[in-house]
Every structure is written in structure tokens, then in C-alpha cells.
Amino acid sequence: MGKTLYEKVFESHTVRRLDSGQYQVLVGLHLLHEVTSPQAFAMLREAGLKALYPNRSYAVCDHVIPTQNRSRPFADPLAEEMIAELEKNCRDFHVHYFAPEYGEQGVIHVIGPEKGLTQPGMTICCGDSHTATHGAFGAVAMGIGTSQVRDVLASQTLPLAKLAVRRVEVNGKLRPGVYAKDLVLYLINRLGVQGGVGYAYEYAGEAFEKLSMEGRMTVCNMAIEGGALCGYINPDATTYQYLKGRPYAPKPHAWEQAQAYWDSIRSDADAEYQDRVQFRAEDIAPMVTWGINPGQSVRIDGRIPELSSFSAQERPMVQEALDYMGFEPGTRVRGQKIDVAFIGSCTNGRFSDFEEVARLLQKTGRKVAPGVRALAVPGSQQVHRKLVESGYHKIFTDAGFEFREAGCSMCLAMNPDKLQGKELCASSSNRNFKGRQGSTRGRTLLMSPVMVAAAAVAGEVVDARDLFDIAKEEEEV
Ligand code: SF4
């Protein structure tokens, strides 16, 4: 019987089995940011310990950094303090820091892949839930807590339980106007926000194989929203092409050997899975969330479900979501008026996300509706530079978007980018939890960047395929 990529990578990084039944696992790449690392460094100092392998850790500031005025000290003294502390910790513990001053900053899960640090067959950890993003390369990548950040710094290892593997297969081609974000929102809707607990998700089938690396990152980024600690896609030619030439990717003389290893860790054809599920790509339409978790979503042409369609156990949570969002069951999500549109985050803040929106804005000459505040926030300074060099940033600003500096921005709003009061935000981020975007009453509708742009233009939730004539494009092809 063959093995899955997860088993191969987990086993090859296992140092020993622990008495607890867990395994001590070597961490190949450790990513750090300003929010979950200060206490970990403080604990290391207190214990008189050094970082054991500092060259396996890399840090950025992303959550609290402002996306407008970045002159130091920052206007927010807490942001200044947190970033200054990260800078000091990186200096003291000899951890490489990708500094904004050198144009290297961005959201940690955008930076790792962009630099070529994220590679197939690695074990990757970060004190951040969306570390699953890196699974797009065929890595076993997961979020950890602050005390685990300390443990990884001190020992480069973690005690981990071995997960079961569910093969999530989506066959066929996504229809025009349906993107990676719709695919993952659909899967979370079908499998549930707790459905992946105890599993690593192996995403397989033509729908994933056809995605770009950036699309694959969008999918894996949200594995955790479906309860799976990690999600991955077996590496292939798309992966290798993306990695080649990136600063930390293997150099030409070592490439062949690296690729042979990466090929060897792909799941075997006869691998055994603890569970398998199958879906058809053609069944997927643009998705929009209506509730307070990423599984509470509906197709753009659908209606907010009736309470009676849920089990008795689920109903209180559904009622809570409806009350918070101010939505009536049975009404359409299409036509809900929005106040704010946000394109960015580690889910959808990469170059291709903005490129597709810019293409459609330019083609149709559409502008942001009066009264809508629209933010385009690149996931990294490199994405920002590329958007400026390509002129796409001007398409955004001409259309009425605010084009900002790189950071997490309104995804979690630990910076000045916040919703006000009960504002409703069309957002390309990954969480629609209560108060997630900076106002305790603020409301989030998750959707793809193209759907966010369409909502910004119409001033309400619409089907981007109609607004941007995407169906017509298919006919022209
Ligand atoms: S963009 Fe959002 S989800 Fe991603 S790391 Fe930042 S706050 Fe977390």
C-alpha cells in the first residue's frame, strides 16, 4: 500500500515517538510576525535560551502595520511598540527580518511563497491559523500557538499528533467567473466548518491541478476554516515553475536533486486515505457568505436558507448569525447593499487577484458606486511594486478604489483600517466572524476579489459574471 504526501513528509520529519502518543517533529521553516512572537521571545530570554536554528526562522510585520502613513514612529504607539519589539527580537536572536524599509514586507503567508522559502516536502509552522496556505506547494504547514512558537525557536521541533488524511477531489473545470475562492467556500459549505477536524485535507483532481499557484494558495489558506489543521496539493510542474528563480528556491546546480525529492513525496497512486469525498467543478457558482462563519454561504443566485433546513442542533447558531447580520431567511443575498469593499489579505491579496479585477474594471470602465469605501491592499510590497509597474494600480484608483500599502489591513483590523458601526463589507478575506473587521457590530460577506469589485461598483451584492460580462467572454472564446 502506498503513502500520502502527508504521511511521507510527517514520517521523514519525525525525530521520535513520545510517551504521550504524539511525535516529536522537526520543523523545516518557521515564520514569525509581530502579534504572536513577543511572548515567545520573552519566554526564551527568561529561560536563558537561544534560537537553536535561527536560519530556519523568518519574520515580518503584517497585522498592525498601517497601510497609509508609514513614517516612524507610527501614529499608533502600540503598533510602534510591537514592531520595534519584533525588530529587536530578530536582532537579538539572529532571525532574518523582511523589513518594510527594504521593500520586503508583506503578509507572512504571501512573503514565504514569494521569496521561495515555502517548498514542497517541508514542515512549516507559524503562530497564525492561516499557515495552511503553504500547503499549496505540497508542504505540511500549520498554525501554532505562542508557547509552541517558543518551543520551535528553542528546539526546532514540535510535539504533534498524526492526522488522518481526507482526499477532497474536485473533478472537471471551473466555469468562467468562478474562482479558487468560490471553490474553497463551496467546499467549506459542503463539508462544514468542523468537518475537517482531525484531518489533513489533500485537495486533488482537475479543478485544483488547473489552478495557478496563487489560486492553490487561496484554497489551502482556508483549509483551517473547514476545520482541517492543514491542507495541501501535490507538487507538480506548476509548483516548480512558480518556484524557479525565487531568492530562496534551490539554485540551478541543486535544482535537479530538489525536484527529484519533491517528485518522490507526492502521494502514491495506491495511497490509502482515511476518507474520500468527490465534487464536480461544474456545480460551483460564485459564493457569498451570509452568516458569521465561512461555512454559512450560498451561491450568488441562492437565498439565505430557512431555519427549517438546519438540524435542531444547528438552529441556535443560525439564528444568532441571522440576528447579527440583520438578514431574513429566504431573502436573496444578491441585492444586499454594502458600505465597504475590501480586496486584500493572505487569501486574496496576490498579484493575480488584483490583475483579474483590474482587467475587468478596465474592460467595462466601471467605477465604485457613490458612498462605497473601496480598499485595494496588496499582500506584499512586491505585489504593490508589480501593480504600480504594470499600471494596474491606476486602474484601481481611477475606478475609485483607495490603493494602499501592504499589510493585513481590514482582514483583522489590528490597524487603522476598520469598519464603523454596523457597516456591511464585501471582503476577499477569510473570516466573517462577529467583529472581525474592527467594529463590534461590523458585518462581513466573504467572496472572491472579482465579486468584491462587482459589489463595490454596484453598491450591492451582484453576480460579477453579469456585471462584468464574463459569460459573454466565454462565448467570444
Ligand atoms: S491577512 Fe488576515 S488571516 Fe492573513 S495573516 Fe493577516 S490577519 Fe491573519
Side-chain angles (χ1 to χ4, degrees):
M1 186 64 78
K3 291 184 175 177
T4 62
L5 177 145
Y6 175 81
E7 284 176 287
K8 293 183 195 182
V9 174
F10 192 96
E11 286 170 10
S12 65
H13 288 77
T14 294
V15 179
R16 65 190 167 120
R17 186 167 184 166
L18 302 168
D19 293 341
S20 63
Q22 291 184 304
Y23 297 83
Q24 186 184 12
V25 174
L26 179 78
V27 175
L29 175 65
H30 184 204
L31 301 168
L32 297 137
H33 62 79
E34 74 279 18
V35 178
T36 51
S37 67
Q39 303 90 328
F41 282 115
M43 288 187 273
L44 235 60
R45 269 196 194 92
E46 242 169 62
L49 294 170
K50 293 178 176 169
L52 186 63
Y53 292 114
N55 58 341
R56 289 189 173 272
S57 291
Y58 295 84
V60 295
C61 57
D62 51 11
H63 286 64
V64 304
I65 192 166
T67 61
Q68 283 182 300
N69 182 358
R70 293 192 169 206
S71 49
R72 301 287 294 266
F74 299 123
D76 175 0
L78 184 60
E80 179 58 36
E81 192 188 321
M82 288 173 80
I83 292 176
E85 189 169 352
L86 179 65
E87 291 165 340
K88 177 175 168 24
N89 285 332
C90 288
R91 277 195 307 273
D92 290 356
F93 289 88
H94 309 291
V95 167
H96 186 89
Y97 175 59
F98 292 117
E101 297 76 30
Y102 298 121
E104 294 192 309
Q105 173 265 343
V107 184
I108 189 77
H109 310 306
V110 177
I111 293 294
E114 194 175 87
K115 295 284 179 201
L117 284 165
T118 302
Q119 294 172 21
M122 277 185 165
T123 46
I124 302 178
C125 287
C126 175
D128 192 278
S129 324
H130 296 93
T131 309
T133 310
H134 307 265
F137 292 78
V140 170
M142 64 193 74
I144 55 176
T146 293
S147 55
Q148 292 173 303
V149 172
R150 171 203 60 196
D151 296 347
V152 176
L153 284 167
S155 72
Q156 206 58 41
T157 63
L158 270 182
L160 292 176
K162 200 169 179 183
L163 298 168
V165 182
R166 172 180 288 153
R167 183 175 160 94
V168 180
E169 205 173 302
V170 183
N171 295 306
K173 290 190 180 66
L174 292 174
R175 294 181 186 281
V178 179
Y179 299 94
K181 181 62 157 289
D182 302 306
L183 170 56
V184 71
L185 284 173
Y186 174 84
L187 292 173
I188 297 168
N189 177 279
R190 295 297 301 271
L191 298 170
V193 288
Q194 296 289 323
V197 172
Y199 285 105
Y201 275 178
E202 176 173 308
Y203 297 108
E206 188 186 0
F208 301 107
E209 286 160 14
K210 286 268 161 63
L211 288 179
S212 67
M213 283 313 295
E214 300 201 340
R216 293 179 187 186
M217 285 185 242
T218 299
V219 171
C220 292
N221 174 275
M222 291 190 73
I224 188 69
E225 303 307 330
L229 196 55
C230 64
Y232 66 86
I233 295 173
N234 281 298
D236 60 9
T238 304
T239 321
Y240 306 154
Q241 198 183 350
Y242 176 97
L243 274 170
K244 222 169 210 170
R246 294 194 180 258
Y248 290 84
K251 299 288 175 258
H253 70 271
W255 185 265
E256 214 171 293
Q257 197 184 354
Q259 194 174 316
Y261 171 64
W262 298 339
D263 284 338
S264 77
I265 51 103
R266 288 174 55 84
S267 292
D268 297 321
D270 59 347
E272 188 185 5
Y273 296 89
Q274 283 67 50
D275 192 33
R276 285 173 181 259
V277 286
Q278 280 191 334
F279 300 97
R280 283 159 32 99
E282 294 81 0
D283 294 342
I284 305 173
M287 299 289 289
V288 180
T289 59
W290 53 264
I292 52 172
N293 73 49
Q296 293 177 324
S297 63
V298 69
R299 293 165 59 106
I300 181 60
D301 52 1
R303 290 176 188 272
I304 296 165
E306 299 286 350
L307 268 185
S308 56
S309 62
F310 294 92
S311 68
Q313 206 189 353
E314 289 170 313
R315 280 179 208 168
M317 179 67 177
V318 173
Q319 188 61 60
E320 185 187 344
L322 292 167
D323 292 346
Y324 183 81
M325 296 300 287
F327 292 158
E328 287 295 323
T331 54
R332 291 196 180 277
V333 70
R334 184 158 53 192
Q336 299 289 345
K337 303 271 179 246
I338 65 148
D339 305 291
V340 178
F342 169 62
I343 302 180
S345 85
C346 59
T347 316
N348 281 124
R350 298 187 175 79
F351 184 75
S352 59
D353 295 313
F354 295 99
E355 184 180 42
E356 177 69 350
V357 171
R359 184 182 74 77
L360 294 169
L361 287 173
Q362 189 174 40
K363 183 187 83 167
T364 55
R366 297 288 196 151
K367 306 270 186 248
V368 171
V372 172
R373 183 159 56 110
L375 267 63
V377 188
S380 72
Q381 289 180 301
Q382 184 173 312
V383 173
H384 188 286
R385 271 194 301 279
K386 278 180 74 178
L387 289 169
V388 171
E389 283 161 16
S390 59
Y392 288 148
H393 78 299
K394 197 154 177 334
I395 297 173
F396 277 96
T397 51
D398 287 352
F401 277 83
E402 296 175 35
F403 183 70
R404 297 288 188 85
E405 299 292 334
C408 294
S409 183
M410 205 181 263
C411 173
L412 183 57
M414 288 183 79
N415 53 70
D417 305 341
K418 296 182 197 302
L419 295 184
Q420 305 294 324
K422 282 181 74 174
E423 279 183 332
L424 186 63
C425 179
S427 178
S428 73
S429 54
N430 48 43
R431 282 188 171 161
N432 51 346
F433 300 165
K434 287 178 173 180
R436 169 81 177 178
Q437 293 191 284
S439 160
T440 50
R441 293 185 300 145
R443 298 166 299 154
T444 306
L445 303 175
L446 301 177
M447 56 187 89
S448 75
V450 167
M451 284 286 287
V452 172
V457 162
E460 61 185 40
V461 178
V462 291
D463 192 333
R465 296 172 299 184
D466 299 335
L467 189 112
F468 291 130
D469 285 335
I470 295 175
K472 218 164 146 202
E473 283 184 341
E474 185 184 19
E475 284 165 24
E476 284 161 8
V477 173

